[in-house]
Amino acid sequence: TDGDGADVVIEATGAPTVARSAFEVVAVGGRISIVGVSEQELRVNMRLFTSKELDVYGSRATLDFPGAIALSRRYESKVMRLVSHRFALSDTQQALRYALDEPQSVVKTVIDVT
């Protein structure tokens, strides 16, 4: 972002350290969506809210991960058809660039971390 920060940051890990970093990397006037599930406390410098004029959103999330996995397994062939591109972890930058440059051809990009 050349130091400008991201317009939108989605925190999906539930890890407080990652959620905290979202407030640091988001642009002035940006939006943060917190969808990660956690019982842990999140401490954030309140000045970031006002100095960056942020919009922060929470999301109702289900804790039915076993049910979601079972559903994905039951419809695996349909779920896998959503994956339009795969990249190795070492090609993450290329994957992100491709998704940004070719949004019309990307349905779901998977970065394989194995």
Side-chain angles (χ1 to χ4, degrees):
T1 64
D2 293 325
D4 293 332
D7 292 329
V8 177
V9 177
I10 300 171
E11 192 295 308
T13 68
T17 54
V18 176
R20 224 178 353 267
S21 70
F23 289 85
E24 296 165 9
V25 302
V26 70
V28 172
R31 291 178 287 160
I32 299 173
S33 180
I34 299 178
V35 298
V37 177
S38 177
E39 297 287 330
Q40 299 179 56
E41 270 189 36
L42 172 63
R43 291 181 176 218
V44 178
N45 182 332
M46 293 290 291
R47 185 173 194 136
L48 290 174
F49 282 93
T50 55
S51 66
K52 286 192 168 186
E53 299 177 349
L54 300 177
D55 292 322
V56 181
Y57 301 92
S59 175
R60 285 190 202 170
T62 178
L63 295 177
D64 187 18
F65 293 116
I69 291 169
L71 190 62
S72 294
R73 285 186 177 144
R74 184 177 323 142
Y75 296 102
E76 184 174 357
S77 65
K78 290 181 180 182
V79 171
M80 293 310 292
R81 280 186 266 169
L82 296 174
V83 178
S84 59
H85 298 82
R86 288 184 173 273
F87 291 87
L89 182 60
S90 60
D91 296 326
T92 298
Q93 187 172 6
Q94 177 188 353
L96 293 172
R97 176 59 45 210
Y98 184 79
L100 288 171
D101 291 346
E102 303 291 335
Q104 69 283 358
S105 67
V106 175
V107 177
K108 179 69 74 179
T109 299
V110 172
I111 297 175
D112 189 353
V113 297
T114 58

PDB file of all heavy atoms in Angstrom, residues 78-101:
ATOM      1  N   LYS A  78     -18.887 -30.022  -5.095  1.00  0.00           N
ATOM      2  CA  LYS A  78     -19.438 -28.692  -5.378  1.00  0.00           C
ATOM      3  C   LYS A  78     -18.566 -27.600  -4.769  1.00  0.00           C
ATOM      4  O   LYS A  78     -18.344 -26.553  -5.388  1.00  0.00           O
ATOM      5  CB  LYS A  78     -20.868 -28.576  -4.857  1.00  0.00           C
ATOM      6  CG  LYS A  78     -21.859 -29.415  -5.633  1.00  0.00           C
ATOM      7  CD  LYS A  78     -23.255 -29.259  -5.102  1.00  0.00           C
ATOM      8  CE  LYS A  78     -24.203 -30.121  -5.916  1.00  0.00           C
ATOM      9  NZ  LYS A  78     -25.583 -29.987  -5.506  1.00  0.00           N
ATOM     10  N   VAL A  79     -18.094 -27.834  -3.564  1.00  0.00           N
ATOM     11  CA  VAL A  79     -17.227 -26.858  -2.906  1.00  0.00           C
ATOM     12  C   VAL A  79     -15.936 -26.680  -3.692  1.00  0.00           C
ATOM     13  O   VAL A  79     -15.482 -25.556  -3.925  1.00  0.00           O
ATOM     14  CB  VAL A  79     -16.922 -27.276  -1.448  1.00  0.00           C
ATOM     15  CG1 VAL A  79     -15.845 -26.401  -0.827  1.00  0.00           C
ATOM     16  CG2 VAL A  79     -18.190 -27.244  -0.603  1.00  0.00           C
ATOM     17  N   MET A  80     -15.351 -27.773  -4.150  1.00  0.00           N
ATOM     18  CA  MET A  80     -14.073 -27.704  -4.874  1.00  0.00           C
ATOM     19  C   MET A  80     -14.217 -26.988  -6.218  1.00  0.00           C
ATOM     20  O   MET A  80     -13.257 -26.406  -6.714  1.00  0.00           O
ATOM     21  CB  MET A  80     -13.473 -29.093  -5.056  1.00  0.00           C
ATOM     22  CG  MET A  80     -13.037 -29.738  -3.739  1.00  0.00           C
ATOM     23  SD  MET A  80     -12.008 -28.663  -2.703  1.00  0.00           S
ATOM     24  CE  MET A  80     -10.543 -28.576  -3.703  1.00  0.00           C
ATOM     25  N   ARG A  81     -15.411 -26.990  -6.791  1.00  0.00           N
ATOM     26  CA  ARG A  81     -15.622 -26.268  -8.052  1.00  0.00           C
ATOM     27  C   ARG A  81     -15.518 -24.757  -7.873  1.00  0.00           C
ATOM     28  O   ARG A  81     -15.341 -24.026  -8.842  1.00  0.00           O
ATOM     29  CB  ARG A  81     -16.974 -26.632  -8.661  1.00  0.00           C
ATOM     30  CG  ARG A  81     -16.908 -27.970  -9.397  1.00  0.00           C
ATOM     31  CD  ARG A  81     -18.192 -28.226 -10.109  1.00  0.00           C
ATOM     32  NE  ARG A  81     -18.994 -29.035  -9.187  1.00  0.00           N
ATOM     33  CZ  ARG A  81     -20.271 -29.319  -9.312  1.00  0.00           C
ATOM     34  NH1 ARG A  81     -20.949 -28.840 -10.318  1.00  0.00           N
ATOM     35  NH2 ARG A  81     -20.899 -30.068  -8.446  1.00  0.00           N
ATOM     36  N   LEU A  82     -15.631 -24.300  -6.645  1.00  0.00           N
ATOM     37  CA  LEU A  82     -15.480 -22.869  -6.381  1.00  0.00           C
ATOM     38  C   LEU A  82     -14.027 -22.413  -6.488  1.00  0.00           C
ATOM     39  O   LEU A  82     -13.769 -21.236  -6.709  1.00  0.00           O
ATOM     40  CB  LEU A  82     -16.007 -22.534  -4.976  1.00  0.00           C
ATOM     41  CG  LEU A  82     -17.491 -22.753  -4.737  1.00  0.00           C
ATOM     42  CD1 LEU A  82     -17.816 -22.519  -3.265  1.00  0.00           C
ATOM     43  CD2 LEU A  82     -18.312 -21.838  -5.623  1.00  0.00           C
ATOM     44  N   VAL A  83     -13.093 -23.338  -6.317  1.00  0.00           N
ATOM     45  CA  VAL A  83     -11.669 -23.001  -6.381  1.00  0.00           C
ATOM     46  C   VAL A  83     -11.260 -22.847  -7.840  1.00  0.00           C
ATOM     47  O   VAL A  83     -11.243 -23.808  -8.602  1.00  0.00           O
ATOM     48  CB  VAL A  83     -10.802 -24.076  -5.690  1.00  0.00           C
ATOM     49  CG1 VAL A  83      -9.315 -23.723  -5.812  1.00  0.00           C
ATOM     50  CG2 VAL A  83     -11.201 -24.220  -4.229  1.00  0.00           C
ATOM     51  N   SER A  84     -10.951 -21.625  -8.203  1.00  0.00           N
ATOM     52  CA  SER A  84     -10.565 -21.351  -9.591  1.00  0.00           C
ATOM     53  C   SER A  84      -9.053 -21.310  -9.773  1.00  0.00           C
ATOM     54  O   SER A  84      -8.561 -21.518 -10.876  1.00  0.00           O
ATOM     55  CB  SER A  84     -11.170 -20.032 -10.061  1.00  0.00           C
ATOM     56  OG  SER A  84     -10.742 -18.970  -9.236  1.00  0.00           O
ATOM     57  N   HIS A  85      -8.305 -21.042  -8.688  1.00  0.00           N
ATOM     58  CA  HIS A  85      -6.853 -20.918  -8.789  1.00  0.00           C
ATOM     59  C   HIS A  85      -6.196 -21.431  -7.513  1.00  0.00           C
ATOM     60  O   HIS A  85      -6.738 -21.254  -6.424  1.00  0.00           O
ATOM     61  CB  HIS A  85      -6.451 -19.467  -9.017  1.00  0.00           C
ATOM     62  CG  HIS A  85      -6.993 -18.907 -10.288  1.00  0.00           C
ATOM     63  ND1 HIS A  85      -8.277 -18.424 -10.387  1.00  0.00           N
ATOM     64  CD2 HIS A  85      -6.433 -18.783 -11.502  1.00  0.00           C
ATOM     65  CE1 HIS A  85      -8.486 -18.016 -11.620  1.00  0.00           C
ATOM     66  NE2 HIS A  85      -7.394 -18.219 -12.315  1.00  0.00           N
ATOM     67  N   ARG A  86      -5.019 -22.018  -7.684  1.00  0.00           N
ATOM     68  CA  ARG A  86      -4.207 -22.489  -6.550  1.00  0.00           C
ATOM     69  C   ARG A  86      -2.807 -21.936  -6.700  1.00  0.00           C
ATOM     70  O   ARG A  86      -2.261 -21.908  -7.785  1.00  0.00           O
ATOM     71  CB  ARG A  86      -4.129 -24.014  -6.516  1.00  0.00           C
ATOM     72  CG  ARG A  86      -5.391 -24.690  -6.093  1.00  0.00           C
ATOM     73  CD  ARG A  86      -5.168 -26.209  -6.001  1.00  0.00           C
ATOM     74  NE  ARG A  86      -6.320 -26.828  -5.440  1.00  0.00           N
ATOM     75  CZ  ARG A  86      -6.547 -26.984  -4.134  1.00  0.00           C
ATOM     76  NH1 ARG A  86      -5.660 -26.573  -3.272  1.00  0.00           N
ATOM     77  NH2 ARG A  86      -7.657 -27.534  -3.705  1.00  0.00           N
ATOM     78  N   PHE A  87      -2.235 -21.540  -5.561  1.00  0.00           N
ATOM     79  CA  PHE A  87      -0.865 -21.041  -5.539  1.00  0.00           C
ATOM     80  C   PHE A  87      -0.147 -21.635  -4.342  1.00  0.00           C
ATOM     81  O   PHE A  87      -0.754 -21.885  -3.305  1.00  0.00           O
ATOM     82  CB  PHE A  87      -0.849 -19.509  -5.403  1.00  0.00           C
ATOM     83  CG  PHE A  87      -1.358 -18.779  -6.611  1.00  0.00           C
ATOM     84  CD1 PHE A  87      -2.703 -18.515  -6.764  1.00  0.00           C
ATOM     85  CD2 PHE A  87      -0.472 -18.342  -7.578  1.00  0.00           C
ATOM     86  CE1 PHE A  87      -3.178 -17.828  -7.868  1.00  0.00           C
ATOM     87  CE2 PHE A  87      -0.924 -17.649  -8.691  1.00  0.00           C
ATOM     88  CZ  PHE A  87      -2.277 -17.394  -8.841  1.00  0.00           C
ATOM     89  N   ALA A  88       1.162 -21.818  -4.487  1.00  0.00           N
ATOM     90  CA  ALA A  88       1.994 -22.254  -3.368  1.00  0.00           C
ATOM     91  C   ALA A  88       2.188 -21.078  -2.424  1.00  0.00           C
ATOM     92  O   ALA A  88       2.079 -19.909  -2.832  1.00  0.00           O
ATOM     93  CB  ALA A  88       3.345 -22.738  -3.888  1.00  0.00           C
ATOM     94  N   LEU A  89       2.496 -21.361  -1.172  1.00  0.00           N
ATOM     95  CA  LEU A  89       2.724 -20.309  -0.190  1.00  0.00           C
ATOM     96  C   LEU A  89       3.808 -19.346  -0.670  1.00  0.00           C
ATOM     97  O   LEU A  89       3.689 -18.132  -0.498  1.00  0.00           O
ATOM     98  CB  LEU A  89       3.105 -20.921   1.158  1.00  0.00           C
ATOM     99  CG  LEU A  89       3.341 -19.935   2.301  1.00  0.00           C
ATOM    100  CD1 LEU A  89       2.099 -19.103   2.575  1.00  0.00           C
ATOM    101  CD2 LEU A  89       3.767 -20.689   3.549  1.00  0.00           C
ATOM    102  N   SER A  90       4.824 -19.879  -1.310  1.00  0.00           N
ATOM    103  CA  SER A  90       5.916 -19.028  -1.804  1.00  0.00           C
ATOM    104  C   SER A  90       5.467 -18.081  -2.916  1.00  0.00           C
ATOM    105  O   SER A  90       6.156 -17.111  -3.234  1.00  0.00           O
ATOM    106  CB  SER A  90       7.080 -19.898  -2.300  1.00  0.00           C
ATOM    107  OG  SER A  90       6.634 -20.741  -3.357  1.00  0.00           O
ATOM    108  N   ASP A  91       4.308 -18.333  -3.509  1.00  0.00           N
ATOM    109  CA  ASP A  91       3.769 -17.489  -4.586  1.00  0.00           C
ATOM    110  C   ASP A  91       2.613 -16.602  -4.114  1.00  0.00           C
ATOM    111  O   ASP A  91       1.792 -16.145  -4.922  1.00  0.00           O
ATOM    112  CB  ASP A  91       3.289 -18.363  -5.751  1.00  0.00           C
ATOM    113  CG  ASP A  91       4.424 -19.127  -6.396  1.00  0.00           C
ATOM    114  OD1 ASP A  91       5.541 -18.584  -6.443  1.00  0.00           O
ATOM    115  OD2 ASP A  91       4.196 -20.264  -6.849  1.00  0.00           O
ATOM    116  N   THR A  92       2.546 -16.342  -2.816  1.00  0.00           N
ATOM    117  CA  THR A  92       1.452 -15.562  -2.252  1.00  0.00           C
ATOM    118  C   THR A  92       1.343 -14.179  -2.893  1.00  0.00           C
ATOM    119  O   THR A  92       0.241 -13.729  -3.234  1.00  0.00           O
ATOM    120  CB  THR A  92       1.589 -15.432  -0.723  1.00  0.00           C
ATOM    121  OG1 THR A  92       1.533 -16.745  -0.157  1.00  0.00           O
ATOM    122  CG2 THR A  92       0.481 -14.576  -0.122  1.00  0.00           C
ATOM    123  N   GLN A  93       2.460 -13.515  -3.072  1.00  0.00           N
ATOM    124  CA  GLN A  93       2.421 -12.176  -3.670  1.00  0.00           C
ATOM    125  C   GLN A  93       1.840 -12.239  -5.084  1.00  0.00           C
ATOM    126  O   GLN A  93       1.018 -11.412  -5.467  1.00  0.00           O
ATOM    127  CB  GLN A  93       3.817 -11.563  -3.685  1.00  0.00           C
ATOM    128  CG  GLN A  93       3.809 -10.114  -4.129  1.00  0.00           C
ATOM    129  CD  GLN A  93       5.155  -9.452  -3.964  1.00  0.00           C
ATOM    130  OE1 GLN A  93       6.143 -10.079  -3.618  1.00  0.00           O
ATOM    131  NE2 GLN A  93       5.195  -8.158  -4.214  1.00  0.00           N
ATOM    132  N   GLN A  94       2.250 -13.238  -5.845  1.00  0.00           N
ATOM    133  CA  GLN A  94       1.717 -13.421  -7.202  1.00  0.00           C
ATOM    134  C   GLN A  94       0.215 -13.706  -7.145  1.00  0.00           C
ATOM    135  O   GLN A  94      -0.557 -13.189  -7.961  1.00  0.00           O
ATOM    136  CB  GLN A  94       2.442 -14.567  -7.897  1.00  0.00           C
ATOM    137  CG  GLN A  94       1.920 -14.871  -9.269  1.00  0.00           C
ATOM    138  CD  GLN A  94       2.537 -16.145  -9.855  1.00  0.00           C
ATOM    139  OE1 GLN A  94       3.446 -16.727  -9.291  1.00  0.00           O
ATOM    140  NE2 GLN A  94       2.007 -16.568 -10.980  1.00  0.00           N
ATOM    141  N   ALA A  95      -0.231 -14.508  -6.187  1.00  0.00           N
ATOM    142  CA  ALA A  95      -1.649 -14.845  -6.050  1.00  0.00           C
ATOM    143  C   ALA A  95      -2.482 -13.602  -5.764  1.00  0.00           C
ATOM    144  O   ALA A  95      -3.536 -13.398  -6.375  1.00  0.00           O
ATOM    145  CB  ALA A  95      -1.837 -15.875  -4.932  1.00  0.00           C
ATOM    146  N   LEU A  96      -2.006 -12.784  -4.839  1.00  0.00           N
ATOM    147  CA  LEU A  96      -2.735 -11.562  -4.507  1.00  0.00           C
ATOM    148  C   LEU A  96      -2.769 -10.603  -5.691  1.00  0.00           C
ATOM    149  O   LEU A  96      -3.805 -10.006  -5.994  1.00  0.00           O
ATOM    150  CB  LEU A  96      -2.106 -10.888  -3.289  1.00  0.00           C
ATOM    151  CG  LEU A  96      -2.232 -11.671  -1.980  1.00  0.00           C
ATOM    152  CD1 LEU A  96      -1.404 -11.012  -0.878  1.00  0.00           C
ATOM    153  CD2 LEU A  96      -3.682 -11.798  -1.557  1.00  0.00           C
ATOM    154  N   ARG A  97      -1.662 -10.470  -6.372  1.00  0.00           N
ATOM    155  CA  ARG A  97      -1.604  -9.584  -7.536  1.00  0.00           C
ATOM    156  C   ARG A  97      -2.577 -10.069  -8.612  1.00  0.00           C
ATOM    157  O   ARG A  97      -3.301  -9.297  -9.216  1.00  0.00           O
ATOM    158  CB  ARG A  97      -0.171  -9.517  -8.078  1.00  0.00           C
ATOM    159  CG  ARG A  97       0.007  -8.708  -9.341  1.00  0.00           C
ATOM    160  CD  ARG A  97      -0.406  -7.254  -9.280  1.00  0.00           C
ATOM    161  NE  ARG A  97       0.043  -6.567  -8.105  1.00  0.00           N
ATOM    162  CZ  ARG A  97      -0.608  -5.533  -7.537  1.00  0.00           C
ATOM    163  NH1 ARG A  97      -1.719  -5.081  -8.052  1.00  0.00           N
ATOM    164  NH2 ARG A  97      -0.146  -4.956  -6.481  1.00  0.00           N
ATOM    165  N   TYR A  98      -2.587 -11.392  -8.840  1.00  0.00           N
ATOM    166  CA  TYR A  98      -3.479 -11.956  -9.853  1.00  0.00           C
ATOM    167  C   TYR A  98      -4.945 -11.693  -9.494  1.00  0.00           C
ATOM    168  O   TYR A  98      -5.738 -11.280 -10.332  1.00  0.00           O
ATOM    169  CB  TYR A  98      -3.233 -13.454 -10.020  1.00  0.00           C
ATOM    170  CG  TYR A  98      -4.056 -14.054 -11.126  1.00  0.00           C
ATOM    171  CD1 TYR A  98      -3.676 -13.901 -12.459  1.00  0.00           C
ATOM    172  CD2 TYR A  98      -5.233 -14.739 -10.861  1.00  0.00           C
ATOM    173  CE1 TYR A  98      -4.441 -14.434 -13.491  1.00  0.00           C
ATOM    174  CE2 TYR A  98      -6.009 -15.268 -11.878  1.00  0.00           C
ATOM    175  CZ  TYR A  98      -5.606 -15.114 -13.189  1.00  0.00           C
ATOM    176  OH  TYR A  98      -6.368 -15.626 -14.203  1.00  0.00           O
ATOM    177  N   ALA A  99      -5.288 -11.921  -8.233  1.00  0.00           N
ATOM    178  CA  ALA A  99      -6.667 -11.716  -7.793  1.00  0.00           C
ATOM    179  C   ALA A  99      -7.084 -10.251  -7.947  1.00  0.00           C
ATOM    180  O   ALA A  99      -8.221  -9.962  -8.314  1.00  0.00           O
ATOM    181  CB  ALA A  99      -6.835 -12.175  -6.350  1.00  0.00           C
ATOM    182  N   LEU A 100      -6.155  -9.338  -7.695  1.00  0.00           N
ATOM    183  CA  LEU A 100      -6.459  -7.913  -7.846  1.00  0.00           C
ATOM    184  C   LEU A 100      -6.542  -7.493  -9.309  1.00  0.00           C
ATOM    185  O   LEU A 100      -7.397  -6.696  -9.691  1.00  0.00           O
ATOM    186  CB  LEU A 100      -5.400  -7.065  -7.133  1.00  0.00           C
ATOM    187  CG  LEU A 100      -5.452  -7.093  -5.615  1.00  0.00           C
ATOM    188  CD1 LEU A 100      -4.221  -6.402  -5.036  1.00  0.00           C
ATOM    189  CD2 LEU A 100      -6.716  -6.428  -5.103  1.00  0.00           C
ATOM    190  N   ASP A 101      -5.652  -8.043 -10.122  1.00  0.00           N
ATOM    191  CA  ASP A 101      -5.592  -7.644 -11.533  1.00  0.00           C
ATOM    192  C   ASP A 101      -6.629  -8.336 -12.413  1.00  0.00           C
ATOM    193  O   ASP A 101      -6.995  -7.821 -13.464  1.00  0.00           O
ATOM    194  CB  ASP A 101      -4.192  -7.932 -12.107  1.00  0.00           C
ATOM    195  CG  ASP A 101      -3.129  -7.018 -11.527  1.00  0.00           C
ATOM    196  OD1 ASP A 101      -3.488  -5.999 -10.903  1.00  0.00           O
ATOM    197  OD2 ASP A 101      -1.932  -7.330 -11.692  1.00  0.00           O
TER     198      ASP A 101
END
